[in-house]
Amino acid sequence: MIGSPKLGRTIFWHQRLTFKLFTPRLGLIKPGLLLFFVLLISAVICALFVNLAGAQTYDTITILSDGGVEGTDKIHRDGDIYTFTGDIYGFIMVEKSGITIDGAGYTFQGVDYTRGIVLVGHAGGSFNPCSDVVVKNLRIYNSGGRSIYTASNNNSFIDNTFDSSGIHLVGGGGEGNLIKRNFFNNSYITIDYNSGGKDVVTENDFVSSGIFVTLSRPPQVEGNYWSNYTTKYPNAKEIGNSGIWDTPYDYDIMPNSSHGTDPCVDNNPLVHPVSFEISNDPLVENESEPFPTTLGITAILVVVAISIGLLVYFKKHKYASSF
């Protein structure tokens, strides 16, 4: 019925709710709804940047059997020496033996935690393991267990930093490979299907890191630093002033795996970390990140700043004193 108290109350509350969201006379959005839209826009921006991170392209690089380099301009060749001139995010297939890859202190980040620097070229479509390759002075970041992968021998991996990365040696049985003066942080060496037992692991720092030996003879592990040594052997003592502990370090991560009867031990574990330096600046995570983190954070901060400014403005110029 027109003019009834019930109908009057309905109209009153409808007007209150409408005015709470909008100021119709000025066409302005009320602060509460504005904040909702700002937060929604911020969420959309975050989602876009996450998609950008997943959509980043990477370099597919090949060091050809004839010595040429394809897929990047960040590797300079001088005879058999290939030197990084910048950080690389991608996949490097090496088809040439007898070369040196010098990281010059730059950062390499592999792809999908499985593909990094592969010394197993497929030149001409045939399986072609490369040997006598040196990889040095490189920071290898967030590249998984196959940051460096090889099925060959006589390779040397020296003075590198592995961060959430690793070396995978598979097969072989010849003269072995040398892993020396590297810093491993949350990283691992994996050795499998290798009957030779001639790989040498020495003078490395293992920080929250270790060695997996499966279906292989253990490598020759001597004189490395292990960050969990004193936790594992609290009663161990240094032998004089030699810098060597008196108790061998058992690094056997998989004691039930098939690696023969040879013990997986470092007979001369070091008391102190190994000191070595590589050129360029210290490892910084965002140096190797393909995702434009700084740009994303800046965009979000701008949105937040604008929203705060608008809310302050509306608070000072509110148009309804009774709500």
PDB file of all heavy atoms in Angstrom, residues 32-48:
ATOM      1  N   GLY A  32      35.080   2.874   0.295  1.00  0.00           N
ATOM      2  CA  GLY A  32      35.054   1.424   0.476  1.00  0.00           C
ATOM      3  C   GLY A  32      35.097   0.675  -0.835  1.00  0.00           C
ATOM      4  O   GLY A  32      35.855  -0.276  -1.010  1.00  0.00           O
ATOM      5  N   LEU A  33      34.275   1.109  -1.800  1.00  0.00           N
ATOM      6  CA  LEU A  33      34.251   0.451  -3.101  1.00  0.00           C
ATOM      7  C   LEU A  33      35.542   0.732  -3.866  1.00  0.00           C
ATOM      8  O   LEU A  33      36.061  -0.123  -4.579  1.00  0.00           O
ATOM      9  CB  LEU A  33      33.033   0.935  -3.900  1.00  0.00           C
ATOM     10  CG  LEU A  33      32.771   0.181  -5.216  1.00  0.00           C
ATOM     11  CD1 LEU A  33      32.527  -1.290  -4.949  1.00  0.00           C
ATOM     12  CD2 LEU A  33      31.579   0.790  -5.947  1.00  0.00           C
ATOM     13  N   LEU A  34      36.080   1.951  -3.699  1.00  0.00           N
ATOM     14  CA  LEU A  34      37.332   2.298  -4.359  1.00  0.00           C
ATOM     15  C   LEU A  34      38.457   1.368  -3.894  1.00  0.00           C
ATOM     16  O   LEU A  34      39.247   0.865  -4.705  1.00  0.00           O
ATOM     17  CB  LEU A  34      37.704   3.754  -4.054  1.00  0.00           C
ATOM     18  CG  LEU A  34      39.078   4.200  -4.564  1.00  0.00           C
ATOM     19  CD1 LEU A  34      39.099   4.217  -6.082  1.00  0.00           C
ATOM     20  CD2 LEU A  34      39.442   5.561  -4.007  1.00  0.00           C
ATOM     21  N   LEU A  35      38.515   1.145  -2.574  1.00  0.00           N
ATOM     22  CA  LEU A  35      39.549   0.266  -2.042  1.00  0.00           C
ATOM     23  C   LEU A  35      39.410  -1.144  -2.615  1.00  0.00           C
ATOM     24  O   LEU A  35      40.395  -1.797  -2.952  1.00  0.00           O
ATOM     25  CB  LEU A  35      39.463   0.223  -0.513  1.00  0.00           C
ATOM     26  CG  LEU A  35      40.497  -0.677   0.186  1.00  0.00           C
ATOM     27  CD1 LEU A  35      41.902  -0.209  -0.152  1.00  0.00           C
ATOM     28  CD2 LEU A  35      40.276  -0.663   1.682  1.00  0.00           C
ATOM     29  N   PHE A  36      38.169  -1.610  -2.751  1.00  0.00           N
ATOM     30  CA  PHE A  36      37.935  -2.933  -3.333  1.00  0.00           C
ATOM     31  C   PHE A  36      38.491  -3.013  -4.748  1.00  0.00           C
ATOM     32  O   PHE A  36      39.172  -3.973  -5.115  1.00  0.00           O
ATOM     33  CB  PHE A  36      36.439  -3.240  -3.332  1.00  0.00           C
ATOM     34  CG  PHE A  36      36.081  -4.472  -4.127  1.00  0.00           C
ATOM     35  CD1 PHE A  36      36.301  -5.737  -3.611  1.00  0.00           C
ATOM     36  CD2 PHE A  36      35.534  -4.358  -5.399  1.00  0.00           C
ATOM     37  CE1 PHE A  36      35.981  -6.867  -4.340  1.00  0.00           C
ATOM     38  CE2 PHE A  36      35.211  -5.483  -6.129  1.00  0.00           C
ATOM     39  CZ  PHE A  36      35.432  -6.743  -5.604  1.00  0.00           C
ATOM     40  N   PHE A  37      38.202  -1.969  -5.558  1.00  0.00           N
ATOM     41  CA  PHE A  37      38.682  -1.971  -6.945  1.00  0.00           C
ATOM     42  C   PHE A  37      40.208  -1.898  -7.003  1.00  0.00           C
ATOM     43  O   PHE A  37      40.848  -2.540  -7.836  1.00  0.00           O
ATOM     44  CB  PHE A  37      38.068  -0.814  -7.729  1.00  0.00           C
ATOM     45  CG  PHE A  37      36.659  -1.069  -8.176  1.00  0.00           C
ATOM     46  CD1 PHE A  37      35.643  -0.182  -7.839  1.00  0.00           C
ATOM     47  CD2 PHE A  37      36.325  -2.191  -8.919  1.00  0.00           C
ATOM     48  CE1 PHE A  37      34.338  -0.411  -8.248  1.00  0.00           C
ATOM     49  CE2 PHE A  37      35.028  -2.428  -9.328  1.00  0.00           C
ATOM     50  CZ  PHE A  37      34.025  -1.537  -8.984  1.00  0.00           C
ATOM     51  N   VAL A  38      40.820  -1.117  -6.107  1.00  0.00           N
ATOM     52  CA  VAL A  38      42.278  -0.997  -6.090  1.00  0.00           C
ATOM     53  C   VAL A  38      42.915  -2.336  -5.763  1.00  0.00           C
ATOM     54  O   VAL A  38      43.883  -2.765  -6.388  1.00  0.00           O
ATOM     55  CB  VAL A  38      42.716   0.074  -5.071  1.00  0.00           C
ATOM     56  CG1 VAL A  38      44.228   0.007  -4.860  1.00  0.00           C
ATOM     57  CG2 VAL A  38      42.334   1.458  -5.577  1.00  0.00           C
ATOM     58  N   LEU A  39      42.371  -3.027  -4.744  1.00  0.00           N
ATOM     59  CA  LEU A  39      42.898  -4.342  -4.393  1.00  0.00           C
ATOM     60  C   LEU A  39      42.713  -5.339  -5.529  1.00  0.00           C
ATOM     61  O   LEU A  39      43.585  -6.179  -5.796  1.00  0.00           O
ATOM     62  CB  LEU A  39      42.206  -4.853  -3.127  1.00  0.00           C
ATOM     63  CG  LEU A  39      42.514  -4.082  -1.842  1.00  0.00           C
ATOM     64  CD1 LEU A  39      41.685  -4.624  -0.688  1.00  0.00           C
ATOM     65  CD2 LEU A  39      43.994  -4.172  -1.510  1.00  0.00           C
ATOM     66  N   LEU A  40      41.585  -5.251  -6.222  1.00  0.00           N
ATOM     67  CA  LEU A  40      41.343  -6.138  -7.356  1.00  0.00           C
ATOM     68  C   LEU A  40      42.359  -5.892  -8.460  1.00  0.00           C
ATOM     69  O   LEU A  40      42.919  -6.824  -9.048  1.00  0.00           O
ATOM     70  CB  LEU A  40      39.918  -5.928  -7.886  1.00  0.00           C
ATOM     71  CG  LEU A  40      39.504  -6.802  -9.088  1.00  0.00           C
ATOM     72  CD1 LEU A  40      39.550  -8.275  -8.706  1.00  0.00           C
ATOM     73  CD2 LEU A  40      38.112  -6.407  -9.563  1.00  0.00           C
ATOM     74  N   ILE A  41      42.635  -4.616  -8.744  1.00  0.00           N
ATOM     75  CA  ILE A  41      43.619  -4.267  -9.784  1.00  0.00           C
ATOM     76  C   ILE A  41      45.001  -4.767  -9.381  1.00  0.00           C
ATOM     77  O   ILE A  41      45.761  -5.286 -10.205  1.00  0.00           O
ATOM     78  CB  ILE A  41      43.637  -2.744 -10.021  1.00  0.00           C
ATOM     79  CG1 ILE A  41      42.311  -2.308 -10.666  1.00  0.00           C
ATOM     80  CG2 ILE A  41      44.806  -2.352 -10.904  1.00  0.00           C
ATOM     81  CD1 ILE A  41      42.139  -0.811 -10.741  1.00  0.00           C
ATOM     82  N   SER A  42      45.345  -4.625  -8.086  1.00  0.00           N
ATOM     83  CA  SER A  42      46.648  -5.100  -7.615  1.00  0.00           C
ATOM     84  C   SER A  42      46.782  -6.603  -7.820  1.00  0.00           C
ATOM     85  O   SER A  42      47.832  -7.098  -8.232  1.00  0.00           O
ATOM     86  CB  SER A  42      46.821  -4.764  -6.130  1.00  0.00           C
ATOM     87  OG  SER A  42      46.790  -3.372  -5.930  1.00  0.00           O
ATOM     88  N   ALA A  43      45.691  -7.342  -7.520  1.00  0.00           N
ATOM     89  CA  ALA A  43      45.720  -8.791  -7.706  1.00  0.00           C
ATOM     90  C   ALA A  43      45.915  -9.154  -9.171  1.00  0.00           C
ATOM     91  O   ALA A  43      46.650 -10.086  -9.512  1.00  0.00           O
ATOM     92  CB  ALA A  43      44.427  -9.409  -7.175  1.00  0.00           C
ATOM     93  N   VAL A  44      45.262  -8.407 -10.057  1.00  0.00           N
ATOM     94  CA  VAL A  44      45.411  -8.661 -11.503  1.00  0.00           C
ATOM     95  C   VAL A  44      46.843  -8.414 -11.942  1.00  0.00           C
ATOM     96  O   VAL A  44      47.427  -9.184 -12.717  1.00  0.00           O
ATOM     97  CB  VAL A  44      44.428  -7.782 -12.305  1.00  0.00           C
ATOM     98  CG1 VAL A  44      44.734  -7.870 -13.798  1.00  0.00           C
ATOM     99  CG2 VAL A  44      42.998  -8.213 -12.034  1.00  0.00           C
ATOM    100  N   ILE A  45      47.453  -7.322 -11.432  1.00  0.00           N
ATOM    101  CA  ILE A  45      48.839  -7.003 -11.789  1.00  0.00           C
ATOM    102  C   ILE A  45      49.769  -8.114 -11.324  1.00  0.00           C
ATOM    103  O   ILE A  45      50.666  -8.549 -12.057  1.00  0.00           O
ATOM    104  CB  ILE A  45      49.251  -5.652 -11.172  1.00  0.00           C
ATOM    105  CG1 ILE A  45      48.513  -4.509 -11.878  1.00  0.00           C
ATOM    106  CG2 ILE A  45      50.762  -5.447 -11.288  1.00  0.00           C
ATOM    107  CD1 ILE A  45      48.763  -3.156 -11.263  1.00  0.00           C
ATOM    108  N   CYS A  46      49.557  -8.599 -10.078  1.00  0.00           N
ATOM    109  CA  CYS A  46      50.391  -9.702  -9.574  1.00  0.00           C
ATOM    110  C   CYS A  46      50.267 -10.928 -10.466  1.00  0.00           C
ATOM    111  O   CYS A  46      51.252 -11.583 -10.794  1.00  0.00           O
ATOM    112  CB  CYS A  46      49.979 -10.048  -8.147  1.00  0.00           C
ATOM    113  SG  CYS A  46      50.439  -8.799  -6.931  1.00  0.00           S
ATOM    114  N   ALA A  47      49.038 -11.249 -10.859  1.00  0.00           N
ATOM    115  CA  ALA A  47      48.818 -12.423 -11.714  1.00  0.00           C
ATOM    116  C   ALA A  47      49.516 -12.264 -13.053  1.00  0.00           C
ATOM    117  O   ALA A  47      50.102 -13.211 -13.582  1.00  0.00           O
ATOM    118  CB  ALA A  47      47.322 -12.642 -11.921  1.00  0.00           C
ATOM    119  N   LEU A  48      49.488 -11.051 -13.608  1.00  0.00           N
ATOM    120  CA  LEU A  48      50.145 -10.806 -14.895  1.00  0.00           C
ATOM    121  C   LEU A  48      51.638 -11.005 -14.799  1.00  0.00           C
ATOM    122  O   LEU A  48      52.266 -11.595 -15.679  1.00  0.00           O
ATOM    123  CB  LEU A  48      49.831  -9.374 -15.368  1.00  0.00           C
ATOM    124  CG  LEU A  48      48.401  -9.131 -15.865  1.00  0.00           C
ATOM    125  CD1 LEU A  48      48.196  -7.648 -16.170  1.00  0.00           C
ATOM    126  CD2 LEU A  48      48.105  -9.965 -17.105  1.00  0.00           C
TER     127      LEU A  48
END
